[in-house]
Amino acid sequence: MCHMNCLGGSQILLQRKNGLFGFRQYTSVIKEKQGTHRIALCHVAGGANPGLPSSTVYDASLGPKLRAIVFYIVNCIVAIPLFVVMLAAHPFVLLFDKYRRKIHHLINKAWASLSLLLLYKVDIEGLQNLPPPDAPAVYVSNHQSYLDVYVLLLLGRSFKFISKTSIFLIPIIGWAMFMTGHIPLRRMDNKSQMECLKRCLNVLKHGASVHFFPEGTRPKDGKLSTFKKGAFSMAAKARVPVVPITLIGTGEIMPNGMEGTLRPGSIKIIVNQPIEGTNADELSNKARSVIAQQLVMHGNGVH
C-alpha cells in the first residue's frame, strides 16, 4: 500500500492487488476529514508506481446506473410485442377464462423473465408449498423494492396484484395490468377500499387468487414493518389459505427510492407453507412471524 497527497489536503490510499493480463490493480480511496468521497480503480502496467489521474478512472456509481438503463431498455423492448400478443388474445380470454386469465399471466411471466433473468440469478425455494394453479389463495409477501412484482411473476401463479390506481395509467404496462385483471386501489379512499374488497372476494369465489403486500408500501429503511389486516380478513372470510412469501435481495439490488440504479447481487424467493384459519389476527401474526424469521436468517432487518 502507498500514500500520496493531493490538492486540498486530501489523501489517496492506493492498495495493490493482482489484476488481469499481468496488470497490477490499485484501488484508490480519496479520503478527507469528512470521510470517503470517491473510489477509483487504476490499472498500471509492469508494476510501475501509479501516478495521479493519468490512468483510467472508474466511477463506482456508473455500473449500477448502466445496469438499470439496460434493464429498462430490455423491459420496454420486450413489453411492446408481448402487449400486442396480449391485446390479440384478450377477447378470447374474456370469453373462456374471465377470472384467472392464465394466458395473460403466462405473458406477464415471460416479460418478467426476459427483463430480469438476463441480469440476475433468481433462486426459488419451497415450490412444493405453492397451492395447485387452480386453487384460490391469498398470497402475501414483504415489500422491499420496485423489482418485487417482477420476481413474484416468476412463480407462475395467476394471482391479482392490488396496485395504486395511478399505475394503471402508465402506457403499455398499466394497460397490460388492466387486461390481466389486477385490481386498482386509491389509498385513503374508503369507497375505493370497499370496491377493492368486493372485487377480491369475487375473484377468490371464482377460483382465482390475489396477492397483497400487507405492509401497504415499501418501508423507507428496508426493514419489515407491521402488517395491515385486510388480506387476512379476506382470507378468513373466503376460507382460503394464506401463502406467505419471503423476498430476499431485491431491496439491496434496487433500494426504495433508487429506481435509477441496479446493484449487483442475487435474489431469493422462499415460498412458505400455507396457513389456514378463520381468525384474521392469528393469520396475520403467523404470516409475519414466518416472513420475519426468514429475513432475519438472511441478515435483513425487522421492526
Side-chain angles (χ1 to χ4, degrees), residues 243-297:
V243 183
I245 298 172
T246 311
L247 302 179
I248 297 167
T250 55
E252 286 75 26
I253 289 171
M254 183 183 279
N256 185 21
M258 297 181 65
E259 285 72 27
T261 62
L262 269 179
R263 299 170 177 173
S266 61
I267 299 169
K268 188 172 186 178
I269 312 171
I270 303 175
V271 183
N272 300 289
Q273 291 185 351
I275 303 168
E276 297 190 41
T278 56
N279 185 298
D281 289 326
E282 289 182 3
L283 289 173
S284 176
N285 291 336
K286 288 179 180 179
R288 189 181 187 280
S289 177
V290 168
I291 292 173
Q293 182 179 4
Q294 297 286 356
L295 288 172
V296 171
M297 286 176 60

Side-chain angles (χ1 to χ4, degrees), residues 200-261:
C200 288
L201 288 172
N202 190 48
V203 163
L204 292 168
K205 178 182 176 181
H206 287 88
S209 298
V210 294
H211 177 280
F212 283 84
F213 293 112
E215 294 166 278
T217 187
R218 289 169 285 171
K220 292 181 179 180
D221 60 3
K223 296 181 180 180
L224 185 72
S225 57
T226 56
F227 279 8
K228 294 178 171 58
K229 301 288 177 61
F232 308 99
S233 298
M234 189 176 305
K237 187 171 183 177
R239 296 183 179 274
V240 298
V242 173
V243 183
I245 298 172
T246 311
L247 302 179
I248 297 167
T250 55
E252 286 75 26
I253 289 171
M254 183 183 279
N256 185 21
M258 297 181 65
E259 285 72 27
T261 62

Side-chain angles (χ1 to χ4, degrees), residues 180-198:
T180 305
H182 298 304
I183 300 170
L185 173 67
R186 288 190 297 274
R187 294 175 182 171
M188 312 305 293
D189 185 325
N190 291 333
K191 184 178 179 181
S192 177
Q193 291 176 3
M194 290 303 298
E195 181 62 27
C196 176
L197 175 64
K198 289 178 182 178

